Amino acid sequence: MLAVGIAAVLAASAAYNAGVVLQALDARNEPAECGLRLALLARLLRRRRWLAGTALTILAFPLQVIAYSNAPLDIVQPLLAVGLVVVLILGSRLMGEVVRPSHYAAVAAIIAGVAIMAAAGPDHRQPDRGGIAQLTVMAVLAIGIAAPYVLRDRRWRGAALLTASTGVAFAWGDLATKLFGDGINGGRAGVAAFWLVAVGVSAVVGTLSLMTAFQEAAVRRVVPGAFAVEAVLPVVLAPLLLQHDGGLTASDLVPIAIGLALVVAAILVLAGSPQVEWAMAAASTRATGKLNASRASPDPVPPESNRGPARPTRTRPASGGGSNPPSAGATAQSARPRRQRWPVSRARGR
């Protein structure tokens, strides 16, 4: 059955990551002013390619369930990260993004880091703590999800915040799914219904944040960053959500720290220093919110046909019906090209 789980998780990862690339192709063509608004999803729902990408991401969910049912967590989690290679390949071929060998090495570091953390992390099948502890953790995470929406009209909202918020939203959904399952297993119908609604809301909000992030940054930066946050948060927060301190001991902290360091370093490589600086810059400093927006070009020099015609130089006829021969100075002056002035309307428009 292990082979079935491995095949299912690889198929799920490929389907999901191919789907988000298709979604990104349409999301970045939508107006920037639709970002973080339901109008963006309403517009995307009318695009066939975006719907095809969404279908692929939905298909990944049952495949992931099959994978978790037939393979241990420490195998499924790193194999889910393998699909990030699909993002790099499709981003390069379909979107013209620059992908270097260092980016593939960074994906390999993410896979290794997630594998280390999954092996050292707790068993997520343990029951949750319930009560105030669980609600407090989820409420704090909800603040991170809502941050881009609260700062929607502020100057310093950027792609980095959108990417982090997307990862938090998907991690929040994963944790809510776990709490929903615990509610079903414990016979708590009201708790299960609450977390089921929460899963749906987090999915919509996370998708909207992700589509807005695609409008402002490359998929090779957004998708790995969001995936890393989604994979790391459940491991880090497990002691606060699960009983018995999440099964963590002091000896588990070192490998988890190593895995986390690998993931963070990989995200910095995929982002690149210029991109990090750009992502943190004020939103008003960008010409548009789309990655493929071109810079405004200066006014071209008007063609010769648009310039005003040169006035002919008249010479008075000399007495006797002939013309005086021009002097050397006059010849040189007439040979010099006249300076043409731009029309007044164009000069003002520069």
Side-chain angles (χ1 to χ4, degrees):
M1 302 298 288
L2 179 61
V4 174
I6 293 176
V9 68
L10 290 176
S13 183
Y16 176 79
N17 288 284
V20 296
V21 172
L22 292 179
Q23 290 177 323
L25 285 169
D26 284 334
R28 64 179 46 183
N29 290 327
E30 295 297 334
E33 56 269 17
C34 293
L36 296 179
R37 289 176 168 84
L38 290 176
L40 176 59
L41 294 181
R43 295 172 66 96
L44 291 173
L45 284 171
R46 298 194 292 267
R47 293 181 175 267
R48 294 182 179 179
R49 183 171 56 188
W50 190 86
L51 290 175
T54 303
L56 285 174
T57 60
I58 294 175
L59 176 62
F61 178 74
L63 291 173
Q64 191 171 345
V65 173
I66 296 174
Y68 282 123
S69 301
N70 293 276
L73 183 68
D74 56 350
I75 292 180
V76 173
Q77 286 292 95
L79 288 181
L80 284 175
V82 173
L84 295 177
V85 176
V86 176
V87 174
L88 297 182
I89 295 175
L90 294 183
S92 174
R93 295 186 176 182
L94 298 182
M95 299 182 175
E97 297 180 358
V98 178
V99 178
R100 299 183 175 89
S102 60
H103 299 148
Y104 289 100
V107 169
I110 291 178
I111 296 172
V114 171
I116 294 173
M117 296 183 68
D123 185 357
H124 285 213
R125 290 174 293 183
Q126 296 181 26
D128 63 87
R129 288 179 178 272
I132 300 299
Q134 129 189 148
L135 292 177
T136 301
V137 172
M138 299 300 281
V140 172
L141 291 179
I143 295 175
I145 299 172
Y149 298 86
V150 175
L151 303 172
R152 179 164 49 194
D153 298 326
R154 302 295 179 90
R155 295 171 59 89
W156 52 279
R157 189 207 81 202
L161 179 60
L162 288 168
T163 301
S165 175
T166 299
V168 173
F170 289 149
W172 202 93
D174 294 341
L175 294 172
T177 302
K178 156 69 178 171
L179 298 177
F180 164 74
D182 288 348
I184 292 293
N185 295 331
R188 297 172 293 173
V191 173
F194 172 80
W195 289 118
L196 180 61
V197 173
V199 169
V201 173
S202 66
V204 173
V205 176
T207 301
L208 181 55
S209 300
L210 181 63
M211 296 304 110
T212 306
F214 285 151
Q215 291 184 308
E216 301 199 12
V219 293
R220 71 172 176 84
R221 295 180 170 110
V222 174
V223 177
F227 173 84
V229 174
E230 181 184 3
V232 167
L233 273 182
V235 177
V236 174
L237 297 177
L240 301 176
L241 291 172
L242 304 179
Q243 295 182 13
H244 309 296
D245 288 337
L248 290 177
T249 62
S251 60
D252 296 327
L253 297 180
V254 174
I256 289 178
I258 294 175
L260 181 60
L262 283 173
V263 171
V264 172
I267 294 302
L268 292 178
V269 171
L270 287 168
S273 298
Q275 174 64 13
V276 172
E277 181 180 357
W278 173 86
M280 295 299 182
S284 60
T285 61
R286 305 184 198 109
T288 63
K290 297 180 182 180
L291 182 67
N292 58 350
S294 59
R295 294 182 178 179
S297 58
D299 291 338
V301 177
E304 195 69 27
S305 59
N306 292 339
R307 295 185 180 182
R311 296 180 180 179
T313 303
R314 296 182 179 180
T315 57
R316 291 185 179 182
S319 58
S323 300
N324 295 329
S327 62
T331 303
Q333 183 176 1
S334 61
R336 183 182 303 168
R338 295 176 59 86
R339 178 180 299 176
Q340 303 298 332
R341 295 185 178 181
W342 286 38
V344 175
S345 60
R346 288 192 62 83
R348 291 178 179 175
R350 293 182 64 185

